[in-house]
Amino acid sequence: MTRGEHLRNLVLLGACAVALTILPHALTVYRRSFVLFTMMYVVLALSWNIISGFTGYTSFGHVAFYGIGAYACAILVADYRWHWIPTLGVGAVLAALIAVVIGYPVLRLKGPYFAIAMLGAAEGTRVVATVWDSLTHGGLGISLPSAETSLETYYAMVTLMLVTIVVAYGVGHSRFGIRLNAIREDEVAAEALGINATLYKLAAFTLSAVFPAVAGGIQAYKVLYIDPPAVFFVQITIAMALMSMLGGKGTVIGPIVGAVILYTAQELTWVNFPTAHLIAYGLFIVLVARFMPRGLVGLAIDRGWVRKGMIH
Amino acid sequence: MDGCSFVVPRGKISGLIGPNGSGKTTTFNLLTGLLEPDGGQVIYNGENLAGLKPYQIFRKGVTRTFQVTRIFREMTVLENMLSVTGLGVPERVARQRAEELIAFVNLGHLRSEYGGRLSYGQQKLLEFVRALMTDPDLILLDEPAAGVNRTLLQHLLDHMHRLQEQGKTIVIVEHDMNVIMNHCERIFVMDYGVKIAEGPPAEIQRDERVVEAYFGRRR
């Protein structure tokens, strides 16, 4: 990208920020929630994309970090009477530490083995949250005391989304991001060309864990009740993956577009057909993988509407 | 490989030849850390490289290309080049070097094309210049001539000699005997993981063991 293009994108993002700041005052409480959760999925898809899209390590367990963030917030607010904002930081740090601990061994696996190992890691985290009664209240879940105005969480999510977009954009268009791409394309060659793959993968993995944790924390304070099945729900991971795939893995705009489209579609259908979005998800996975493996952005690139590559 | 020992002369172009399966690529893999030797040493600049990780060996100034090209397919030509430069190098410097090298192998018009969309010969060239991004001192080329047309090959060989004049050490694995005999000062011949001969081209061409390894024993 040229400097002019970066500037244009920055202006676009600024315009989005202004619009999202004014917007809630014009919305009903329900619609405000809808926008909040759409933004949350943008955060989740963009984060998943850092390890799975840029780096090529498809994670089926990213919900673990989301759940950890949600629990960090819920426990500290409900049991330790913290203000909810600093708990987001605790969740982020905790998720980063756990990402390093899980990532170091698991990132040695490749392809389906990594995906399955992450699925196991997320399930393991859910079990720990269910069994560790004294800390997490186990299967009963945690109710949060709240003085929520719904604006607080809304603005927190706007901020988180903007930060996530800026970071994902920065990573994607930097030589750090290009080197992650190189690992995705051919890890052996990348190593032979001087890239310390272990270190880069761990950095990408940790980065991709931090934002979902914060999102989980905001979500916990938004809905005021969490339990293990809700915040370690495997479908949240699938949503991250599917949104990124639909929009275009390994790009920055792809996961954003995918999240907005899929979450909106889900919201429109579930009111009338409570399970329809699940069927639609299944169908979508098949269709996207078969006909559009590189997503909408890939399609736009093939048509010549968008340039190839991240650095120009 | 077993009991195979040789010394590559610094600042020269050497050739490594031998029948298919004789251990040439394995040798390169051992030199660059893709394989860890069970025993023995790889001495470079007085330092044992055996047991080091590939990226550590690369950072000591050893680079290579692959027999079957390993370019990054869904990255553009420019991105392929830039991915090799360490993050410590300023972006402007990396870009300038990348553009120069891309232009040098006539890939300038393809700089924004995916590596995977290039022809095989073009991929070979991309891999060659990609290996030069960091200005390495020891360059290992695994069959650089395969699939590259004559004009471009000549270009590539000229560049190789220019690198040698700058003091670089180059080792080529190649089946094209014209390339080996006309461009290498020293040749090592391998068969079944052992070095069977070593010497200047003229000597190697007359060597009985070499002829035997390639064509079988004379009756």
Short mmCIF file of all heavy atoms in Angstrom, two decimals, chain A residues 45-94:
data_model
loop_
_atom_site.label_atom_id
_atom_site.label_comp_id
_atom_site.label_asym_id
_atom_site.label_seq_id
_atom_site.Cartn_x
_atom_site.Cartn_y
_atom_site.Cartn_z
N ALA A 45 -13.36 -12.25 14.74
CA ALA A 45 -12.91 -12.75 13.43
C ALA A 45 -11.54 -12.19 13.08
O ALA A 45 -10.66 -12.91 12.60
CB ALA A 45 -13.94 -12.38 12.36
N LEU A 46 -11.32 -10.90 13.34
CA LEU A 46 -10.02 -10.28 13.01
C LEU A 46 -8.90 -10.91 13.84
O LEU A 46 -7.78 -11.09 13.34
CB LEU A 46 -10.07 -8.78 13.29
CG LEU A 46 -10.50 -7.87 12.15
CD1 LEU A 46 -10.54 -6.43 12.64
CD2 LEU A 46 -9.58 -7.98 10.95
N SER A 47 -9.19 -11.24 15.09
CA SER A 47 -8.17 -11.83 15.95
C SER A 47 -7.83 -13.23 15.48
O SER A 47 -6.66 -13.60 15.36
CB SER A 47 -8.67 -11.90 17.40
OG SER A 47 -9.11 -10.64 17.82
N TRP A 48 -8.86 -14.01 15.23
CA TRP A 48 -8.67 -15.39 14.73
C TRP A 48 -7.83 -15.37 13.46
O TRP A 48 -6.95 -16.22 13.26
CB TRP A 48 -10.05 -16.00 14.45
CG TRP A 48 -10.02 -17.42 13.99
CD1 TRP A 48 -10.02 -18.53 14.77
CD2 TRP A 48 -10.01 -17.89 12.63
NE1 TRP A 48 -10.00 -19.66 13.97
CE2 TRP A 48 -10.00 -19.30 12.66
CE3 TRP A 48 -10.01 -17.25 11.38
CZ2 TRP A 48 -9.99 -20.08 11.51
CZ3 TRP A 48 -10.00 -18.03 10.23
CH2 TRP A 48 -9.99 -19.43 10.30
N ASN A 49 -8.09 -14.36 12.65
CA ASN A 49 -7.41 -14.23 11.36
C ASN A 49 -5.90 -14.00 11.50
O ASN A 49 -5.13 -14.36 10.61
CB ASN A 49 -8.06 -13.06 10.60
CG ASN A 49 -7.51 -12.89 9.21
OD1 ASN A 49 -7.51 -13.81 8.43
ND2 ASN A 49 -7.02 -11.69 8.92
N ILE A 50 -5.47 -13.44 12.62
CA ILE A 50 -4.03 -13.17 12.79
C ILE A 50 -3.25 -14.48 12.84
O ILE A 50 -2.23 -14.63 12.16
CB ILE A 50 -3.76 -12.33 14.06
CG1 ILE A 50 -4.34 -10.92 13.87
CG2 ILE A 50 -2.26 -12.25 14.34
CD1 ILE A 50 -4.23 -10.04 15.11
N ILE A 51 -3.74 -15.45 13.60
CA ILE A 51 -3.04 -16.74 13.65
C ILE A 51 -3.48 -17.65 12.51
O ILE A 51 -2.66 -18.34 11.91
CB ILE A 51 -3.20 -17.42 15.04
CG1 ILE A 51 -2.37 -18.70 15.12
CG2 ILE A 51 -4.64 -17.77 15.35
CD1 ILE A 51 -0.88 -18.47 15.13
N SER A 52 -4.75 -17.64 12.18
CA SER A 52 -5.24 -18.63 11.22
C SER A 52 -5.20 -18.14 9.78
O SER A 52 -4.97 -18.92 8.86
CB SER A 52 -6.67 -19.04 11.59
OG SER A 52 -6.70 -19.55 12.90
N GLY A 53 -5.41 -16.85 9.57
CA GLY A 53 -5.39 -16.30 8.22
C GLY A 53 -3.99 -15.88 7.80
O GLY A 53 -3.45 -16.36 6.82
N PHE A 54 -3.37 -14.99 8.59
CA PHE A 54 -2.03 -14.50 8.25
C PHE A 54 -1.00 -15.64 8.35
O PHE A 54 -0.11 -15.76 7.52
CB PHE A 54 -1.59 -13.37 9.19
CG PHE A 54 -2.36 -12.09 9.00
CD1 PHE A 54 -2.48 -11.18 10.05
CD2 PHE A 54 -2.94 -11.76 7.78
CE1 PHE A 54 -3.17 -9.99 9.88
CE2 PHE A 54 -3.63 -10.58 7.61
CZ PHE A 54 -3.74 -9.69 8.66
N THR A 55 -1.11 -16.45 9.42
CA THR A 55 -0.05 -17.40 9.73
C THR A 55 -0.38 -18.82 9.28
O THR A 55 0.49 -19.68 9.26
CB THR A 55 0.25 -17.37 11.25
OG1 THR A 55 0.13 -16.03 11.72
CG2 THR A 55 1.65 -17.87 11.54
N GLY A 56 -1.66 -19.07 8.96
CA GLY A 56 -2.03 -20.37 8.40
C GLY A 56 -2.25 -21.48 9.42
O GLY A 56 -2.32 -22.64 9.06
N TYR A 57 -2.34 -21.13 10.70
CA TYR A 57 -2.61 -22.13 11.73
C TYR A 57 -4.07 -22.05 12.15
O TYR A 57 -4.44 -21.23 13.00
CB TYR A 57 -1.67 -21.94 12.93
CG TYR A 57 -0.34 -22.60 12.70
CD1 TYR A 57 0.57 -22.06 11.79
CD2 TYR A 57 0.00 -23.77 13.34
CE1 TYR A 57 1.79 -22.67 11.54
CE2 TYR A 57 1.21 -24.40 13.11
CZ TYR A 57 2.09 -23.85 12.20
OH TYR A 57 3.29 -24.46 11.96
N THR A 58 -4.91 -22.87 11.54
CA THR A 58 -6.35 -22.80 11.76
C THR A 58 -6.71 -23.27 13.17
O THR A 58 -6.54 -24.44 13.49
CB THR A 58 -7.08 -23.66 10.72
OG1 THR A 58 -6.66 -23.22 9.43
CG2 THR A 58 -8.58 -23.51 10.84
N SER A 59 -7.20 -22.32 13.97
CA SER A 59 -7.52 -22.64 15.36
C SER A 59 -9.00 -22.93 15.52
O SER A 59 -9.84 -22.13 15.13
CB SER A 59 -7.13 -21.45 16.26
OG SER A 59 -7.73 -21.59 17.53
N PHE A 60 -9.31 -24.08 16.10
CA PHE A 60 -10.70 -24.41 16.41
C PHE A 60 -10.97 -24.24 17.90
O PHE A 60 -11.94 -24.79 18.41
CB PHE A 60 -11.03 -25.84 15.96
CG PHE A 60 -11.37 -25.94 14.51
CD1 PHE A 60 -11.24 -27.13 13.82
CD2 PHE A 60 -11.85 -24.82 13.82
CE1 PHE A 60 -11.55 -27.21 12.47
CE2 PHE A 60 -12.16 -24.90 12.48
CZ PHE A 60 -12.01 -26.10 11.80
N GLY A 61 -10.11 -23.51 18.57
CA GLY A 61 -10.30 -23.38 20.01
C GLY A 61 -10.19 -21.96 20.52
O GLY A 61 -9.98 -21.74 21.70
N HIS A 62 -10.36 -21.00 19.62
CA HIS A 62 -10.12 -19.63 20.05
C HIS A 62 -11.12 -19.11 21.07
O HIS A 62 -10.87 -18.12 21.75
CB HIS A 62 -10.05 -18.71 18.84
CG HIS A 62 -8.68 -18.13 18.68
ND1 HIS A 62 -7.57 -18.92 18.56
CD2 HIS A 62 -8.25 -16.86 18.66
CE1 HIS A 62 -6.52 -18.15 18.48
NE2 HIS A 62 -6.89 -16.90 18.55
N VAL A 63 -12.25 -19.80 21.18
CA VAL A 63 -13.25 -19.38 22.17
C VAL A 63 -12.67 -19.45 23.59
O VAL A 63 -13.13 -18.76 24.49
CB VAL A 63 -14.53 -20.25 22.04
CG1 VAL A 63 -14.30 -21.65 22.57
CG2 VAL A 63 -15.69 -19.58 22.74
N ALA A 64 -11.63 -20.26 23.77
CA ALA A 64 -11.00 -20.38 25.09
C ALA A 64 -10.61 -19.00 25.62
O ALA A 64 -10.85 -18.67 26.79
CB ALA A 64 -9.78 -21.28 25.02
N PHE A 65 -10.03 -18.17 24.76
CA PHE A 65 -9.54 -16.86 25.22
C PHE A 65 -10.69 -15.92 25.53
O PHE A 65 -10.64 -15.12 26.47
CB PHE A 65 -8.59 -16.28 24.17
CG PHE A 65 -7.46 -17.21 23.86
CD1 PHE A 65 -7.28 -17.73 22.58
CD2 PHE A 65 -6.58 -17.61 24.86
CE1 PHE A 65 -6.26 -18.62 22.31
CE2 PHE A 65 -5.55 -18.49 24.60
CZ PHE A 65 -5.39 -19.00 23.32
N TYR A 66 -11.73 -16.05 24.74
CA TYR A 66 -12.95 -15.28 24.96
C TYR A 66 -13.54 -15.65 26.34
O TYR A 66 -13.87 -14.78 27.14
CB TYR A 66 -13.91 -15.61 23.82
CG TYR A 66 -15.31 -15.10 23.92
CD1 TYR A 66 -15.63 -13.80 23.51
CD2 TYR A 66 -16.33 -15.93 24.37
CE1 TYR A 66 -16.93 -13.35 23.58
CE2 TYR A 66 -17.64 -15.48 24.44
CZ TYR A 66 -17.94 -14.19 24.04
OH TYR A 66 -19.22 -13.75 24.09
N GLY A 67 -13.61 -16.94 26.59
CA GLY A 67 -14.15 -17.43 27.86
C GLY A 67 -13.30 -16.99 29.04
O GLY A 67 -13.82 -16.59 30.09
N ILE A 68 -11.98 -17.04 28.87
CA ILE A 68 -11.08 -16.63 29.95
C ILE A 68 -11.31 -15.15 30.28
O ILE A 68 -11.39 -14.77 31.44
CB ILE A 68 -9.61 -16.89 29.53
CG1 ILE A 68 -9.33 -18.40 29.59
CG2 ILE A 68 -8.65 -16.11 30.41
CD1 ILE A 68 -8.07 -18.83 28.87
N GLY A 69 -11.44 -14.34 29.26
CA GLY A 69 -11.70 -12.91 29.47
C GLY A 69 -13.03 -12.69 30.18
O GLY A 69 -13.14 -11.86 31.09
N ALA A 70 -14.05 -13.45 29.75
CA ALA A 70 -15.37 -13.31 30.37
C ALA A 70 -15.31 -13.68 31.85
O ALA A 70 -15.85 -12.97 32.70
CB ALA A 70 -16.37 -14.21 29.64
N TYR A 71 -14.61 -14.78 32.16
CA TYR A 71 -14.51 -15.20 33.55
C TYR A 71 -13.68 -14.24 34.40
O TYR A 71 -13.99 -13.98 35.55
CB TYR A 71 -13.99 -16.65 33.66
CG TYR A 71 -15.15 -17.61 33.78
CD1 TYR A 71 -15.69 -18.24 32.68
CD2 TYR A 71 -15.74 -17.83 35.03
CE1 TYR A 71 -16.79 -19.08 32.79
CE2 TYR A 71 -16.83 -18.67 35.17
CZ TYR A 71 -17.36 -19.29 34.05
OH TYR A 71 -18.45 -20.10 34.17
N ALA A 72 -12.60 -13.72 33.82
CA ALA A 72 -11.78 -12.76 34.57
C ALA A 72 -12.64 -11.58 35.00
O ALA A 72 -12.61 -11.13 36.16
CB ALA A 72 -10.61 -12.28 33.72
N CYS A 73 -13.45 -11.08 34.08
CA CYS A 73 -14.32 -9.95 34.38
C CYS A 73 -15.37 -10.33 35.43
O CYS A 73 -15.53 -9.66 36.45
CB CYS A 73 -14.99 -9.45 33.09
SG CYS A 73 -16.26 -8.20 33.37
N ALA A 74 -16.05 -11.44 35.19
CA ALA A 74 -17.16 -11.83 36.07
C ALA A 74 -16.69 -12.08 37.49
O ALA A 74 -17.29 -11.60 38.46
CB ALA A 74 -17.85 -13.07 35.50
N ILE A 75 -15.57 -12.82 37.63
CA ILE A 75 -15.08 -13.15 38.97
C ILE A 75 -14.65 -11.89 39.72
O ILE A 75 -15.01 -11.67 40.88
CB ILE A 75 -13.91 -14.15 38.89
CG1 ILE A 75 -14.42 -15.50 38.39
CG2 ILE A 75 -13.23 -14.30 40.24
CD1 ILE A 75 -13.32 -16.47 37.98
N LEU A 76 -13.87 -11.05 39.04
CA LEU A 76 -13.35 -9.86 39.72
C LEU A 76 -14.46 -8.87 40.07
O LEU A 76 -14.42 -8.23 41.12
CB LEU A 76 -12.28 -9.19 38.84
CG LEU A 76 -10.97 -9.97 38.73
CD1 LEU A 76 -10.05 -9.35 37.70
CD2 LEU A 76 -10.26 -10.03 40.09
N VAL A 77 -15.46 -8.76 39.22
CA VAL A 77 -16.55 -7.82 39.49
C VAL A 77 -17.49 -8.39 40.56
O VAL A 77 -17.84 -7.70 41.53
CB VAL A 77 -17.34 -7.50 38.20
CG1 VAL A 77 -18.60 -6.71 38.52
CG2 VAL A 77 -16.46 -6.71 37.24
N ALA A 78 -17.87 -9.65 40.40
CA ALA A 78 -18.87 -10.23 41.30
C ALA A 78 -18.28 -10.55 42.68
O ALA A 78 -18.90 -10.26 43.70
CB ALA A 78 -19.47 -11.49 40.68
N ASP A 79 -17.09 -11.13 42.73
CA ASP A 79 -16.55 -11.61 44.00
C ASP A 79 -15.58 -10.65 44.66
O ASP A 79 -15.37 -10.69 45.85
CB ASP A 79 -15.85 -12.96 43.79
CG ASP A 79 -16.85 -14.05 43.40
OD1 ASP A 79 -18.06 -13.80 43.58
OD2 ASP A 79 -16.42 -15.10 42.91
N TYR A 80 -14.92 -9.83 43.84
CA TYR A 80 -13.89 -8.95 44.41
C TYR A 80 -14.24 -7.48 44.27
O TYR A 80 -13.43 -6.62 44.58
CB TYR A 80 -12.53 -9.25 43.77
CG TYR A 80 -12.04 -10.65 44.08
CD1 TYR A 80 -12.37 -11.72 43.26
CD2 TYR A 80 -11.28 -10.90 45.22
CE1 TYR A 80 -11.96 -13.01 43.56
CE2 TYR A 80 -10.87 -12.18 45.53
CZ TYR A 80 -11.21 -13.25 44.69
OH TYR A 80 -10.80 -14.52 44.99
N ARG A 81 -15.42 -7.23 43.78
CA ARG A 81 -15.95 -5.86 43.72
C ARG A 81 -15.05 -4.89 42.96
O ARG A 81 -14.90 -3.73 43.33
CB ARG A 81 -16.20 -5.31 45.15
CG ARG A 81 -17.14 -6.16 45.96
CD ARG A 81 -18.56 -6.05 45.49
NE ARG A 81 -19.34 -7.26 45.78
CZ ARG A 81 -20.54 -7.52 45.30
NH1 ARG A 81 -21.11 -6.66 44.49
NH2 ARG A 81 -21.18 -8.62 45.61
N TRP A 82 -14.40 -5.38 41.93
CA TRP A 82 -13.59 -4.49 41.09
C TRP A 82 -14.52 -3.67 40.20
O TRP A 82 -15.64 -4.07 39.91
CB TRP A 82 -12.70 -5.31 40.16
CG TRP A 82 -11.44 -5.83 40.78
CD1 TRP A 82 -11.29 -6.37 42.02
CD2 TRP A 82 -10.17 -5.90 40.14
NE1 TRP A 82 -10.00 -6.78 42.20
CE2 TRP A 82 -9.28 -6.50 41.06
CE3 TRP A 82 -9.68 -5.51 38.89
CZ2 TRP A 82 -7.94 -6.72 40.76
CZ3 TRP A 82 -8.34 -5.74 38.60
CH2 TRP A 82 -7.48 -6.33 39.53
N HIS A 83 -14.00 -2.52 39.76
CA HIS A 83 -14.67 -1.84 38.66
C HIS A 83 -14.46 -2.69 37.42
O HIS A 83 -13.41 -3.33 37.27
CB HIS A 83 -14.09 -0.43 38.45
CG HIS A 83 -14.85 0.39 37.44
ND1 HIS A 83 -14.54 0.36 36.11
CD2 HIS A 83 -15.91 1.21 37.58
CE1 HIS A 83 -15.38 1.15 35.44
NE2 HIS A 83 -16.23 1.67 36.32
N TRP A 84 -15.39 -2.72 36.51
CA TRP A 84 -15.28 -3.70 35.41
C TRP A 84 -14.21 -3.38 34.37
O TRP A 84 -13.65 -4.28 33.76
CB TRP A 84 -16.65 -3.89 34.74
CG TRP A 84 -17.08 -2.74 33.88
CD1 TRP A 84 -17.56 -1.54 34.29
CD2 TRP A 84 -17.08 -2.70 32.45
NE1 TRP A 84 -17.86 -0.74 33.23
CE2 TRP A 84 -17.58 -1.44 32.09
CE3 TRP A 84 -16.71 -3.60 31.45
CZ2 TRP A 84 -17.70 -1.04 30.75
CZ3 TRP A 84 -16.85 -3.21 30.13
CH2 TRP A 84 -17.33 -1.94 29.79
N ILE A 85 -13.90 -2.10 34.19
CA ILE A 85 -12.93 -1.75 33.14
C ILE A 85 -11.55 -2.38 33.37
O ILE A 85 -11.02 -3.04 32.48
CB ILE A 85 -12.81 -0.20 32.97
CG1 ILE A 85 -14.15 0.40 32.51
CG2 ILE A 85 -11.69 0.16 32.01
CD1 ILE A 85 -14.45 0.27 31.03
N PRO A 86 -10.94 -2.22 34.57
CA PRO A 86 -9.62 -2.84 34.75
C PRO A 86 -9.63 -4.37 34.62
O PRO A 86 -8.59 -4.97 34.31
CB PRO A 86 -9.20 -2.43 36.17
CG PRO A 86 -10.39 -1.81 36.80
CD PRO A 86 -11.31 -1.39 35.74
N THR A 87 -10.78 -5.01 34.83
CA THR A 87 -10.81 -6.47 34.69
C THR A 87 -10.52 -6.89 33.25
O THR A 87 -10.04 -7.99 33.00
CB THR A 87 -12.17 -7.08 35.09
OG1 THR A 87 -13.16 -6.72 34.11
CG2 THR A 87 -12.61 -6.60 36.46
N LEU A 88 -10.81 -5.99 32.31
CA LEU A 88 -10.54 -6.30 30.90
C LEU A 88 -9.04 -6.49 30.68
O LEU A 88 -8.60 -7.37 29.96
CB LEU A 88 -11.07 -5.20 29.99
CG LEU A 88 -12.57 -4.88 30.10
CD1 LEU A 88 -12.95 -3.74 29.17
CD2 LEU A 88 -13.41 -6.12 29.81
N GLY A 89 -8.26 -5.62 31.35
CA GLY A 89 -6.81 -5.72 31.25
C GLY A 89 -6.31 -7.02 31.85
O GLY A 89 -5.43 -7.69 31.30
N VAL A 90 -6.90 -7.40 33.01
CA VAL A 90 -6.50 -8.66 33.65
C VAL A 90 -6.80 -9.83 32.71
O VAL A 90 -5.97 -10.71 32.51
CB VAL A 90 -7.25 -8.84 34.99
CG1 VAL A 90 -6.95 -10.22 35.58
CG2 VAL A 90 -6.86 -7.74 35.96
N GLY A 91 -7.98 -9.82 32.11
CA GLY A 91 -8.36 -10.87 31.16
C GLY A 91 -7.38 -10.95 30.00
O GLY A 91 -6.97 -12.05 29.59
N ALA A 92 -6.99 -9.78 29.48
CA ALA A 92 -6.08 -9.74 28.33
C ALA A 92 -4.72 -10.35 28.70
O ALA A 92 -4.18 -11.17 27.96
CB ALA A 92 -5.90 -8.30 27.85
N VAL A 93 -4.20 -9.95 29.88
CA VAL A 93 -2.88 -10.46 30.31
C VAL A 93 -2.95 -11.96 30.56
O VAL A 93 -2.07 -12.72 30.13
CB VAL A 93 -2.41 -9.71 31.58
CG1 VAL A 93 -1.16 -10.37 32.16
CG2 VAL A 93 -2.14 -8.24 31.26
N LEU A 94 -4.03 -12.39 31.21
CA LEU A 94 -4.21 -13.80 31.50
C LEU A 94 -4.27 -14.62 30.20
O LEU A 94 -3.63 -15.66 30.06
CB LEU A 94 -5.51 -13.99 32.30
CG LEU A 94 -5.69 -15.28 33.07
CD1 LEU A 94 -4.58 -15.42 34.11
CD2 LEU A 94 -7.05 -15.31 33.75
#
